Amino acid sequence: MEFSILLLFFIVGTIFGSFYNVVGYRLPKNESLLYPASHCPKCNHKLSSLELIPIFSFLLLGGKCKNCKAKISWFYPIFEFCSGILFALSYFVFGFTLDCLLAIVFISMLLIIIISDYQTMIIPDGVLIFFSLSIITIKFFIVGFDGVGVALLNSLGSFIFMFVLKLLGDFMFKKESMGGGDIKLLAVFGLMFGFFMSIISVFIAAIIGLPISLILLKNKSTHEIPFGPFLAVAAILIVLLKLDINTIINLLTI
């Protein structure tokens, strides 16, 4: 029975992951999420229902467009698979609870941000606002009015910290060191898991991002690497590993 529920969460996650890919790509460009319908970017062939099944369609078509035979990037099924895994892990870690719903909502936001920031260097305000309101609503039923008040203060503190960090970075490097989207994103982190862990997420993201950035910079002509995806990965680790400030202190004192 437990495996069946995990499988269900995985399947639902792949479906949402497929949709989040569309949202993350189109929303920063102010494009409609519904029109035009999903299509091949090479020949504009409109995808049928059979061609839109997450992961399965890619494998069934051999990674090629049914119409023009152009290759489809492996990124799509990998992203859908990862989305399914994250949904399943949310249930595995938190069970069938409001905390599980909160984790899924938060991770959903991060998945969209990974796509949008990587593809367009933009973290849409609409995404942050929608999911912030969703997080506040769910938290209200978990921690009550007072708990939501504390979360909002943590959010404000995280925003101020990131803003000051940006000002210092701009001064040191004599150019914009951080996008406004990253600052707003950290405010959502403060809302989700508190001020101290939101700060720690920045350091975790930096540790994850440094080697990856060096590889990307070596193979790209641009010197701009979005920080949002690294922050998103760090936040996912914090949520699913249930990291808190006491855990971090214990790890540092081992």
Side-chain angles (χ1 to χ4, degrees):
M1 183 65 177
E2 187 74 13
F3 176 77
S4 300
I5 298 176
L6 284 171
L7 181 60
L8 176 62
F9 271 83
F10 173 79
I11 293 173
V12 171
T14 62
I15 295 171
F16 274 94
S18 180
F19 175 66
Y20 294 155
N21 187 59
V22 175
V23 175
Y25 183 78
R26 293 190 182 187
L27 199 60
K29 299 180 178 181
N30 295 318
E31 296 179 355
S32 171
L33 300 181
L34 302 177
Y35 181 84
S38 297
H39 58 279
C40 172
K42 298 292 184 181
C43 66
N44 290 321
H45 162 66
K46 182 180 177 181
L47 304 184
S48 65
S49 298
L50 189 61
E51 295 171 270
L52 289 172
I53 303 173
I55 303 174
F56 177 77
S57 293
F58 180 88
L59 298 175
L60 182 67
L61 296 171
K64 297 180 180 179
C65 172
K66 182 180 179 181
N67 184 59
C68 69
K69 307 304 179 184
K71 288 185 178 181
I72 303 171
S73 172
W74 274 91
F75 176 83
Y76 298 107
I78 291 174
F79 183 78
E80 291 163 354
F81 177 80
C82 290
S83 299
I85 290 294
L86 290 174
F87 271 54
L89 283 175
S90 296
Y91 171 74
F92 180 78
V93 172
F94 297 103
F96 203 74
T97 62
L98 283 175
D99 286 318
C100 176
L101 176 61
L102 182 63
I104 287 177
V105 167
F106 183 62
I107 287 172
S108 294
M109 179 194 73
L110 298 174
L111 289 171
I112 294 172
I113 287 171
I114 288 172
I115 296 294
S116 66
D117 204 23
Y118 179 75
Q119 294 280 1
T120 65
M121 300 284 287
I122 295 173
I123 299 178
D125 288 342
V127 171
L128 296 175
I129 293 171
F130 173 82
F131 283 99
S132 291
L133 292 175
S134 301
I135 290 170
I136 290 172
T137 302
I138 299 170
K139 269 187 169 289
F140 174 78
F141 290 101
I142 298 175
V143 297
F145 183 80
D146 291 341
V148 169
V150 172
L152 290 171
L153 288 175
N154 285 327
S155 176
L156 178 61
S158 300
F159 177 86
I160 293 173
F161 171 85
M162 202 65 163
F163 183 72
V164 171
L165 194 64
K166 169 187 164 53
L167 293 179
L168 290 174
D170 292 350
F171 176 76
M172 291 174 60
F173 299 110
K174 306 302 180 183
K175 63 178 182 179
E176 187 174 67
S177 59
M178 190 182 305
D182 296 329
I183 300 172
K184 299 168 192 173
L185 179 58
L186 208 73
V188 184
F189 287 7
L191 187 67
M192 181 67 184
F193 42 65
F195 173 76
F196 290 108
M197 288 310 300
S198 70
I199 304 309
I200 289 174
S201 73
V202 177
F203 293 98
I204 296 175
I207 293 171
I208 296 172
L210 180 59
I212 297 176
S213 296
L214 292 175
I215 295 172
L216 292 175
L217 288 171
K218 183 179 180 180
N219 296 290
K220 291 177 66 176
S221 57
T222 180
H223 292 290
E224 295 183 350
I225 302 295
F227 193 47
F230 301 126
L231 285 171
V233 172
I236 290 172
L237 291 174
I238 289 172
V239 170
L240 294 182
L241 293 177
K242 293 184 175 181
L243 296 179
D244 56 26
I245 189 63
N246 292 325
T247 305
I248 299 298
I249 293 173
N250 290 334
L251 289 174
L252 294 175
T253 55
I254 292 178

